[in-house]
Amino acid sequence: MSSLHLSYQKTNKQVAFDTANKDALPLGISSEDLTEQLVQLNELAQQLISFDGEAPKNAEPTKNISMGVKKCHEAGLSCLKTAKFEEAIKHFSEGIKIATNRNKWESFQLTLFETHLCLMNRADAYLMSGKYPEALQDTDLLIKTMNVNPDNFYRRSIAHLELGFLNEAKVDLERGLAFQPNNEKLKRQLLVVMAKIFQEDGDL
Amino acid sequence: MSNSKYNYDENSETWPYFAITLVGVLVIPSTVSSISSLFAKETKNTNGAITSTFKPLTFQLIKKFQSKSKASKLFNARNLLLVIGWGILLYLGNYVAHKEIESTAVLFDPFEILGIAASATDKEIKSIYRKLSIKYHPDKLSSSLSEIEKQKAEETFVLINKAYKSLTDATTKENFLKYGHPDGPQAITQGIALPKFLIESQGTVLVLAYVFVIAILLPFIVRYWWNNVKSYTKKGIRTETSTMFVEKILNYKPTTLLTPITILAWISESEEIKEALPKLPQEDIVEIFIAHCSRQMGFLAKEQDKLNAISKVPVLVNGLLDLACHFRNSEIALACIETLRSVASAVPLSGIRKQQLLQLPNVDSKAVEKSSISTLGKLFTLSEEEQKKALGIESSASLKEALDVASSIPLLKVLKAQFVVPGEDGVPPGSIAHISVKVMIKSAKHHGVVTFRTFPEDKFHEEETFETLRDPFKMLKDQPDLPPAFAPYFPTSMKTQWTSLLAIQKDGKLVEQPATTTNLDLSNLKLSPEEFKASLKDKGKDFVIGTIKIPLTQPAPPKEGNYEFRLMIKSNNYFGTDLDLPLVMVVKNPTEKVNEKIYEVPAPSDDSIAGAMAQMRGEPVSTSGDEYFDSEDEEELVEADGLGLDDEDDDWSDIDTDTDDEEDQEDPKEK
């Protein structure tokens, strides 16, 4: 028999896990994992308890937050067009912050694209201002959350290339081409990267 | 009944033979396998192996460790048992050799004593008897004989008399002829090839020994064997370790950073490492691994214990790699291989991008980190002074050692890679394909781009014979074995190997278990830079093309279309020799192939029996003229075949997983 050994504290209305029992956990559940999940659960409960308005009927995202994200995004874009990268990064970061600070019960799936949009353009701003490690981080996150737009692979390959990871840059472009075999931009960049690799190996 | 009806082997005539057979069956094969395992490594191919005069600081310690493990190979319980077995065997052989003479004298055969055939007449018997009795009569013996010889002659005389008497008596002679005994038929006796004391011993010692063997020793041996089978997985890691790895993989979050240090931390939690380095906290064990990779030594534990722990890393990492592939996790699998070669060549784990240079002997890691170059190929374009600066080496001798190793590391360049189905032109739906990769092996000192076009086209043509259709992987064995790897810091000898991983390009998940390449011809490495250049211009005439084949266990997708894969061929030993290439599987129904076949093999003519059968089945039949069949028939045939394949699609659909993955992937995009 395996149980999770959880306890409920009436005073602060939280569920807690006693780490002394961590050896008794079933296979596949680590105590760190469980603790993290409990933190999320407690946070969700806290938010619901302290929520002022009417109890939410479903996981529908709130409209005005989406509006806020959109405004940040638009402001960022206009800065990007006028080459004010620092400001653009600030706007996009603000957008990401608002988008991720929604009420916990709102569907993450439905609002993910807002975050993605801001992340993509922030990556652009990082790339244009030469902040490649930051750009790599953002594009990594995009691809790992399965935003497999060929443009994201292009962005990440630029970051990889600039940081000197030639092979990774090549792999990114090849993966991007798997989604859109005729993407001219990716094809051209792939040739550039290949030439760089040959140069680096002293073959050209 | 104390008098048993069995004749025991009191004279030890037969039981030693049984014992010899029994011991021999056990001892001889195990001796052969022991000896061959002892000499197995020495006879391996060393062609293309990196021979270097370089000795790391830990050289003496490693030598000591190796001789220890070799000694333990020689002096172990198994070999002790073998020696005892041979002792018993020799003793028994000796025993049998000396026993033989006594035992044969017991039989009494009058015909043999007189030296005549059983068919001899009474007259013949009489004349022979007379001759012999004169020869052996005690009164007629010459006085020159010794006492012993005289006694022997007397014995023979008595025997001759006895034999003569038994043969002159009619009934006795008949009994002899019929039953081989003067008294007529004998009761049939059952013999048992064991001495009496073993069976009817009054003493309880033997009974106790029996009980011990059957009731205690046998169950114990079986239990011991079964426990060994149970507690190790097929990959040679403990089941507890394997469970721990599975847990780690299941709990792995794709957003966390995964480095070789993470892998080493997981490894250090295993029972195997804990046993090698007892009483050390996990952080210290990871520290030891990191220090080994940084080519440092001298703290936390005894050097021999550390080497022992390090020697266990490859088995554990390979076990983890296997599980990672099972769970299709490419990040963990790639990190595993990275760890494997970092430990093998003692390359600092922090030296991202510079591993190609850091794997060389004598290099100074700080100088390498600072230098602007990062590849072996670039290193050979520099002048000697620049090379010294880039590697942080001062003496020319040390630089030569480093460059010798650098130029002997086999680099792979892909020439051609494709999915192949034996006996087909393309990849039909649901077929079992394999990947065939043609590679060019070159040294870092060889400059120049070798591609598919360098060679005349027929160089890549693979003849399809019955043999290759039956076993397409047989040709890999025609390539020489890969030599031992250059790993002076690693405590045991290592094989040069490449591990192939296949991932789906779209979701980055692995689709197959890792495949290892152990055979490749490295003779291109011997070419001098000038010879290489000349050959490059002359259609690659001196180049040897290597072949790597990777079997696929899953059938091709049931639907026609293009399926993108990413093939990674990674070296377990060296940095900078990897291949990472996109591969597209074009799945297509072989409709044209069907037409071709019809044209190649003429349809049976309608007056033959086959023709009549074909007509009944509604198949095209050639009329007596030379035209085969009209185009309408052809189209019908193709359609029918197409339908047949469609039916097959339904059967295959639940086996294939690729299409599901794609659908999963497109979901977030649509949203």
Side-chain angles (χ1 to χ4, degrees), chain B residues 105-117 128-129 132 136 155-164 166-167 176:
Chain B
V106 180
L107 291 163
F108 173 74
D109 182 0
F111 296 106
E112 209 191 300
I113 292 165
L114 293 179
I116 50 171
I128 293 275
Y129 167 66
L132 287 175
Y136 289 104
E155 267 170 28
T156 324
F157 183 70
V158 173
L159 273 175
I160 290 164
N161 261 333
K162 229 169 138 184
Y164 176 66
S166 63
L167 287 186
F176 252 118

Side-chain angles (χ1 to χ4, degrees), chain A residues 144 170 175 200-203, chain B residues 375 442 447 505-506 580:
Chain A
K144 276 180 176 167
K170 174 180 160 259
R175 239 187 113 181
E200 192 66 12
D201 281 342
D203 284 338
Chain B
T375 63
K442 68 177 218 137
H447 296 300
Q505 191 71 279
K506 284 187 174 159
D580 198 318

Side-chain angles (χ1 to χ4, degrees), chain A residues 1-147:
Chain A
M1 255 298 280
S2 53
S3 57
L4 294 175
H5 300 281
L6 298 180
S7 58
Y8 177 71
Q9 267 109 25
K10 276 188 180 162
T11 46
N12 56 0
K13 294 174 180 156
Q14 303 251 300
V15 182
F17 165 66
D18 186 6
T19 41
N21 294 317
K22 75 175 182 190
D23 291 332
L25 285 176
L27 178 69
I29 299 176
S30 72
S31 79
E32 295 89 23
D33 243 14
L34 189 59
T35 321
E36 198 184 308
Q37 280 172 21
L38 287 182
V39 167
Q40 288 170 2
L41 179 71
N42 288 332
E43 216 172 299
L44 183 62
Q46 204 82 50
Q47 274 200 3
L48 276 172
I49 291 164
S50 56
F51 188 57
D52 283 342
E54 220 175 295
K57 288 194 184 70
N58 49 30
E60 196 90 355
T62 3
K63 288 265 159 50
N64 48 3
I65 291 181
S66 292
M67 283 305 289
V69 177
K70 207 178 169 194
K71 260 185 198 155
C72 284
H73 182 242
E74 275 164 4
L77 272 185
S78 63
C79 287
L80 210 56
K81 271 172 196 151
T82 49
K84 288 181 207 149
F85 302 123
E86 289 303 317
E87 254 172 77
I89 290 167
K90 257 181 221 156
H91 284 301
F92 291 131
S93 302
E94 187 61 28
I96 292 164
K97 207 167 141 196
I98 298 171
T100 47
N101 271 348
R102 286 167 175 277
N103 285 323
K104 297 290 172 198
W105 59 83
E106 288 174 22
S107 166
F108 184 62
Q109 279 288 316
L110 296 176
T111 58
L112 189 61
F113 79 96
E114 299 172 355
T115 322
H116 275 169
L117 216 59
C118 289
L119 268 175
M120 276 188 230
N121 291 117
R122 189 169 75 172
D124 283 341
Y126 279 138
L127 284 175
M128 287 180 200
S129 56
K131 290 183 174 165
Y132 301 112
E134 287 86 351
L136 185 59
Q137 217 169 1
D138 278 0
T139 48
D140 236 21
L141 191 64
L142 279 168
I143 289 166
K144 276 180 176 167
T145 49
M146 288 317 287
N147 190 314

